[in-house]
Amino acid sequence: MRNDSKILLGLGLGALLPASAALAAETIKIGAPESISGDWAPYTAAHGLRCMAELVNEQGEYKIELDVKDSKSEPQLAIALAQQMLDEKVVAVSGTPASDSLIPIAQLAAGYGAITFSAMNTQVEMFATGLENFVTTAVPDPFNAAATAKVAYDKGARSVVLFVSDAAGTWTRALPGWFGEVFEKLGGKVIGTIEYPGFGITDWSPFISKLKAMNPAPDAIHISSVNPDVGVLIRQLRAAGLKTMVFGSDGFDDVTLASVAGGAANVDGTVFFAAHGYPTPGGALANFQAECAKRGYEINGAFFGLGGDVVKLLVGAAKAAGSTDPKAMLEAIYTKGPFEIVTAPTVSYDNPWHYPIKEVPVMGFKDGKPVLISATVPTDVPHFKK
């Protein structure tokens, strides 16, 4: 057996089928208005979607017709592209990562009987607005918060200040609050909240002054934001003499974070965040990334794996449903898991919210490089049970 086939088997994709079988393959048509450029580009799932589609097509059991177009991270453009793709009868369609495009796209898709997916959306708005055709492969913000809060308490933090903003809905406001809720259940205390205006901050000194004025100073802060903002915040905290631990969300999962933050000395043992996958050597995500890198794909962290998850999930749903009808596939996703994916061993959706339930890796840093701290399915998650 060739090495390529071994890798495919390691991904749980099965042996390659003869060419004649490919002629009878059922088609799964996927539309992906992805953030290939613009603010959300570092977190795009486009590369992972493309590579997994290529791998599936080589096996021949299913044919993936994947239409990826650049939404430029603009919600209105994403909606317009999604409409075109729905008119072309896609089974599933995505949008930019945030609810401002995904909610209207899901409403459009419902009229076509199609699935709306996001590889990386984590906002509870998508589940709380009554949508019945939405699927994501990234765990929602309450799970992210619960996993990170447990690590914060285990690392010795007993007091925390929450940085909150309305910049990206519940992701920048409610997620830190859920972190605080779980942190206090564990025995810690939220001793303050600091409002910041949004993205693009290059001078955090007014907010750092508020931290320095606290007596005693907090053991930790939590912020759900994006790099370079969080890298600049960490660098300026250290320059101000604060060794405060910094906890964050999936927005920290950027290969440039440590360098923007000022290097290993500023992040090692003090900066932690929940991610969407970790490439354990020999594991499905590591194998997937290695195979795709060999094929020339750009690997943008765990977000690449989330794109692969979407295609694997849709294929698994078609198999479980015995059909490529999107309504049957969606029902299978909601009721017939768990399904094998690449960012975690399995994912399931059989819960009242149809949240994805899977392991959440929490990362730290050693020598300026991300290292795995824990990987668990969080329990006692806020905003979970109806």
Side-chain angles (χ1 to χ4, degrees):
M1 183 180 291
R2 297 187 304 113
N3 288 337
D4 287 359
S5 298
K6 290 181 180 178
I7 290 174
L8 294 175
L9 286 167
L11 293 171
L13 295 174
L16 297 176
L17 298 179
S20 58
L23 297 175
E26 291 189 83
T27 297
I28 300 174
K29 194 171 183 178
I30 303 170
E34 282 289 317
S35 300
I36 297 171
S37 63
D39 292 343
W40 294 108
Y43 312 105
T44 185
H47 316 305
L49 286 164
R50 285 171 169 150
C51 186
M52 185 62 80
E54 182 179 316
L55 295 176
V56 171
N57 285 341
E58 287 177 2
Q59 297 162 78
E61 185 177 3
Y62 288 90
K63 179 184 178 182
I64 305 297
E65 289 188 9
L66 177 65
D67 184 11
V68 176
K69 288 186 169 64
D70 187 7
S71 71
K72 302 180 181 178
S73 300
E74 297 174 6
Q76 291 306 313
L77 178 56
I79 294 167
L81 291 171
Q83 178 70 74
Q84 294 173 16
M85 294 170 180
L86 288 165
D87 287 340
E88 294 167 359
K89 303 190 185 312
V90 295
V91 168
V93 65
S94 68
T96 59
S99 58
D100 52 3
S101 81
L102 287 171
I103 288 176
I105 287 172
Q107 291 167 338
L108 283 173
Y112 290 79
I115 298 167
T116 300
F117 72 87
S118 176
M120 73 288 291
N121 178 270
T122 63
Q123 295 173 283
V124 296
E125 291 98 313
M126 297 304 303
F127 303 90
T129 54
L131 299 172
E132 296 181 352
N133 64 334
F134 177 71
V135 174
T136 180
T137 52
V139 295
D141 296 333
F143 289 78
N144 180 306
T148 314
K150 178 67 165 58
V151 169
Y153 194 82
D154 289 347
K155 289 293 180 181
R158 294 297 180 266
S159 61
V160 66
V161 169
L162 309 177
F163 278 60
V164 298
S165 170
D166 290 324
T170 54
W171 187 67
T172 48
R173 179 166 295 279
L175 196 162
W178 288 319
F179 171 95
E181 181 180 331
V182 176
F183 185 69
E184 290 198 327
K185 282 185 178 180
L186 292 169
K189 185 172 179 58
V190 176
I191 63 172
T193 300
I194 292 178
E195 294 269 352
Y196 67 98
F199 300 140
I201 298 175
T202 57
D203 180 11
W204 290 91
S205 59
F207 312 102
I208 292 173
S209 294
K210 291 181 180 180
L211 290 176
K212 294 193 74 172
M214 293 182 177
N215 187 16
D219 297 327
I221 65 169
H222 182 283
I223 182 170
S224 181
S225 187
V226 296
N227 200 42
D229 296 34
V230 290
V232 172
L233 171 59
I234 294 164
R235 186 176 72 241
Q236 293 179 0
L237 280 170
R238 304 303 181 240
L242 293 177
K243 301 298 183 184
T244 312
M245 287 187 281
V246 179
F247 292 87
S249 64
D250 47 331
F252 282 43
D253 195 359
D254 184 318
V255 295
T256 68
L257 176 63
S259 61
V260 175
N266 288 349
V267 297
D268 284 3
T270 59
V271 176
F272 307 88
F273 64 93
H276 291 297
Y278 178 73
T280 304
L285 179 57
N287 286 348
F288 178 55
Q289 290 181 345
E291 174 65 16
C292 295
K294 186 170 67 176
R295 293 168 182 246
Y297 287 94
E298 176 188 348
I299 311 299
N300 59 322
F303 300 99
F304 186 92
L306 289 175
D309 283 348
V310 167
V311 176
K312 280 209 73 174
L313 177 65
L314 292 174
V315 170
K319 289 180 179 179
S323 170
T324 56
D325 174 75
K327 291 183 179 179
M329 289 170 61
L330 186 65
E331 179 66 17
I333 289 171
Y334 287 168
T335 63
K336 294 189 177 182
F339 297 91
E340 290 185 4
I341 52 174
V342 295
T343 60
T346 61
V347 64
S348 64
Y349 295 83
D350 188 10
N351 61 81
W353 291 95
H354 299 309
Y355 284 161
I357 308 298
K358 65 176 186 177
E359 286 184 355
V360 180
V362 178
M363 312 301 296
F365 287 89
K366 182 179 181 181
D367 299 326
K369 305 293 184 183
V371 293
L372 182 66
I373 303 299
S374 68
T376 60
V377 178
T379 58
D380 198 18
V381 177
H383 196 277
F384 177 48
K385 296 179 180 178
K386 284 189 175 181

